[in-house]
Amino acid sequence: MTANEAHFDYVLRLADDGLILSQRLGEWCGHAPALETDLSLTNIALDLIGQATLFLSYAGEMEGKGRDADKLAFHRDVTKYRNCLLVEQPNGDFGRTIARQFIFSTYQYALYQQLSSSTDRRLAEIAAKALKETTYHAELAAEWVVRLGDGTEESNRRLKDGFEWCWRFVEELFVTEPGDAALVSAGIAVDAAKLRPAFDAVLAATFAEATLPLPKFPRPVTGGRKGHHSEHLGHLLAEMQFLPRAYPDAVW
Amino acid sequence: MDVLSHVPDPEIPVVSVVDLGIVRDVRENPPSVVITTTYSGCPATQVIQSDIRKALDDAAFADVKIEVALSPPWTSDWITEDGRKKLHDYGIAPPPKGIGAPGLKNAQAATCPRCGSIKTREISRFGSTPCKALWQCETCREPFDRFKCH
Ligand SMILES: [Zn+2]
């Protein structure tokens, strides 16, 4: 992998996490337990689409093959997607969705904090803007973790189940890929492993307030960053990409 | 700038794109308008660009470039005093100034734009557009939008 390819791959990862999670969150539209949560989940989705668009546009420019954000989103096959496995998992119930959101937004908040001082000016600018949005997401998810965890017996059980399901995908968020070392030492990319202490601290504080036990460690699953996805992503993309692929010239 | 101050925000038409601090700069040489977006995913971004283009065309400013700047990121502190007043009169509580983005958990209570009471509570962190939250006044019982501090 050349330096430029590694850089492109890194930006794709940033983009795909948000893009895929926003598609998942969009599935809640009209189905969330209350209007308030419906608005929250879809607004988070909207922020994530916006961030993904900024990252994808940049990736396309960097690649220099004339692919814009839409082309990269709609005309890229499943094995070329670089998102983590956590975000492609089906929503499950509201408890699992909140568990996933809390894990992801807490991670993304720590990531953007560091990335906003990247030596890659474009990445730093996108991260600084996105950080303000992710602050809201992380806060909202943490509030729901406390509310469900410290709620009824059933909400506590469902949230706990949700965390147990999601926990196998946490490890991948903090894994460094082979091409990353050079990017990290150039100050472009964030060293993912270094984000772990901040993540763990928020987790411990929130779980204590939510009266939840820390999840046990099932065997971690990784591979998303290399394009080895679960079957769920293929189905998600089939729905997301159908229209632009079936009608390539379709416009609003 | 004068032309742009008549371009309404597509989602909150009582305020202009200048009131909201979306227009960052107007340059003469070469002629260009620099705008920014409030939220990365704000669906109004494209509409705002075409509205500005139309306003420029109508005022016979043909060769003006519209640039979108990411940095520094938009903050609700950029909403003008005039814009804040217009929001308030329209029934939207303007955002508190100078608090900065993070730490919203402890943000001070909104003032009810209807009766002026500060006995208000947040109903939903996210409202009808990305930039607004839903609040309710405990005194007059009316729900209202609050422009989020961002
Ligand atoms: Zn009132």
Side-chain angles (χ1 to χ4, degrees), chain B residues 101-141:
Chain B
L104 296 145
K105 227 174 185 170
N106 302 312
Q108 67 201 72
T111 305
C112 171
R114 218 168 273 273
C115 74
S117 168
I118 51 161
K119 280 166 79 181
T120 54
R121 65 185 181 97
E122 182 186 81
I123 298 175
S124 173
R125 178 76 39 92
F126 292 93
S128 53
T129 66
C131 57
K132 287 178 289 180
L134 205 55
W135 281 61
Q136 188 180 19
C137 175
E138 311 258 88
T139 306
C140 74
R141 311 299 300 164

Side-chain angles (χ1 to χ4, degrees), chain A residues 43 125 129 132-133 136 143, chain B residues 37-38 40 74 125 148:
Chain A
N43 266 291
E125 287 183 354
K129 188 165 184 65
K132 301 175 92 174
E133 294 154 7
Y136 266 108
E143 278 169 21
Chain B
T37 56
T38 51
S40 305
W74 180 85
R125 178 76 39 92
K148 284 195 286 201

Side-chain angles (χ1 to χ4, degrees), chain A residues 152-170:
Chain A
T152 64
E153 219 168 275
E154 181 168 4
S155 70
N156 179 287
R157 177 183 60 76
R158 288 195 183 211
L159 184 66
K160 213 158 59 190
D161 289 352
F163 272 112
E164 244 152 60
W165 165 262
C166 293
W167 205 250
R168 71 204 71 200
F169 307 110
V170 169

Side-chain angles (χ1 to χ4, degrees), chain A residues 17-29 41-42 44-45 48 83-109 134 137-138 140-142 144-145 148 158-170 173 199 203 207 212 215 230 232-233 236:
Chain A
D17 280 356
L19 178 63
I20 299 304
L21 185 54
S22 72
Q23 185 71 11
R24 276 286 177 236
L25 290 172
E27 291 170 18
W28 277 107
C29 188
L41 296 175
T42 46
I44 292 175
L48 291 174
N83 58 278
C84 60
L85 297 173
L86 175 71
V87 296
E88 70 194 45
Q89 299 308 310
N91 288 331
D93 62 9
F94 186 64
R96 191 195 282 183
T97 292
I98 289 300
R100 183 184 62 195
Q101 197 61 46
F102 175 70
I103 291 170
F104 182 76
S105 296
T106 305
Y107 153 77
Q108 199 183 41
Y109 180 80
T134 300
H137 310 168
L140 187 103
W144 271 103
V145 166
L148 296 178
R158 288 195 183 211
L159 184 66
K160 213 158 59 190
D161 289 352
F163 272 112
E164 244 152 60
W165 165 262
C166 293
W167 205 250
R168 71 204 71 200
F169 307 110
V170 169
L173 302 173
F199 175 86
L203 200 84
F207 272 50
L212 278 177
S230 61
H232 306 299
L233 184 62
L236 181 149

Side-chain angles (χ1 to χ4, degrees), chain B residues 21-143:
Chain B
I22 291 172
V23 176
R24 300 311 307 149
D25 202 3
V26 177
R27 293 175 190 149
E28 282 183 9
N29 213 355
S32 62
V33 172
V34 183
I35 62 169
T36 190
T37 56
T38 51
Y39 286 74
S40 305
C42 182
T45 308
Q46 299 213 343
V47 180
I48 289 171
Q49 282 193 50
S50 62
D51 286 354
I52 290 178
R53 173 62 64 208
K54 188 174 180 305
L56 291 169
D57 285 350
D58 290 350
F61 293 106
D63 288 326
V64 181
K65 218 177 137 213
I66 300 175
E67 282 174 46
V68 182
L70 273 174
S71 179
W74 180 85
T75 157
S76 50
D77 284 357
W78 291 347
I79 301 174
T80 61
E81 285 309 320
D82 205 31
R84 282 162 201 273
K85 195 178 169 308
K86 288 182 199 162
L87 285 173
H88 175 271
D89 294 347
Y90 187 59
I92 299 173
K97 217 171 173 175
I99 290 181
L104 296 145
K105 227 174 185 170
N106 302 312
Q108 67 201 72
T111 305
C112 171
R114 218 168 273 273
C115 74
S117 168
I118 51 161
K119 280 166 79 181
T120 54
R121 65 185 181 97
E122 182 186 81
I123 298 175
S124 173
R125 178 76 39 92
F126 292 93
S128 53
T129 66
C131 57
K132 287 178 289 180
L134 205 55
W135 281 61
Q136 188 180 19
C137 175
E138 311 258 88
T139 306
C140 74
R141 311 299 300 164
E142 286 292 328

Side-chain angles (χ1 to χ4, degrees), chain A residues 39-250:
Chain A
L39 284 170
S40 303
L41 296 175
T42 46
N43 266 291
I44 292 175
L46 195 60
D47 286 341
L48 291 174
I49 292 179
Q51 298 169 10
T53 309
L54 295 172
F55 285 127
L56 284 179
S57 303
Y58 180 38
E61 287 167 33
M62 191 188 302
E63 187 190 40
K65 291 182 186 164
R67 292 203 281 182
D68 63 5
D70 281 346
K71 193 96 184 159
L72 284 167
F74 296 124
H75 296 272
R76 194 154 42 103
D77 288 336
V78 62
T79 55
K80 303 287 186 207
Y81 264 80
R82 292 290 174 263
N83 58 278
C84 60
L85 297 173
L86 175 71
V87 296
E88 70 194 45
Q89 299 308 310
N91 288 331
D93 62 9
F94 186 64
R96 191 195 282 183
T97 292
I98 289 300
R100 183 184 62 195
Q101 197 61 46
F102 175 70
I103 291 170
F104 182 76
S105 296
T106 305
Y107 153 77
Q108 199 183 41
Y109 180 80
L111 171 73
Y112 284 158
Q113 265 189 324
Q114 299 303 316
L115 195 64
S116 55
S117 48
S118 167
T119 52
D120 179 336
R121 194 162 154 241
R122 184 82 166 265
L123 285 186
E125 287 183 354
I126 299 173
K129 188 165 184 65
L131 178 63
K132 301 175 92 174
E133 294 154 7
T134 300
T135 305
Y136 266 108
H137 310 168
E139 264 184 24
L140 187 103
E143 278 169 21
W144 271 103
V145 166
V146 173
R147 197 158 152 188
L148 296 178
D150 196 18
T152 64
E153 219 168 275
E154 181 168 4
S155 70
N156 179 287
R157 177 183 60 76
R158 288 195 183 211
L159 184 66
K160 213 158 59 190
D161 289 352
F163 272 112
E164 244 152 60
W165 165 262
C166 293
W167 205 250
R168 71 204 71 200
F169 307 110
V170 169
E171 205 63 26
E172 185 179 36
L173 302 173
F174 304 99
V175 167
T176 327
E177 294 301 316
D180 288 355
L183 291 173
V184 169
S185 59
I188 295 169
V190 171
D191 185 349
K194 291 213 172 118
L195 301 173
R196 191 71 198 240
F199 175 86
D200 284 341
V202 175
L203 200 84
T206 311
F207 272 50
E209 203 182 336
T211 67
L212 278 177
L214 283 172
K216 288 191 274 313
F217 280 81
R219 205 159 62 90
V221 200
T222 59
R225 304 294 189 207
K226 295 183 176 66
H228 305 153
H229 294 284
S230 61
E231 62 166 316
H232 306 299
L233 184 62
H235 295 293
L236 181 149
L237 290 181
E239 193 176 314
M240 187 181 94
Q241 298 180 331
F242 167 75
L243 200 131
R245 288 199 182 210
Y247 304 96
D249 300 321

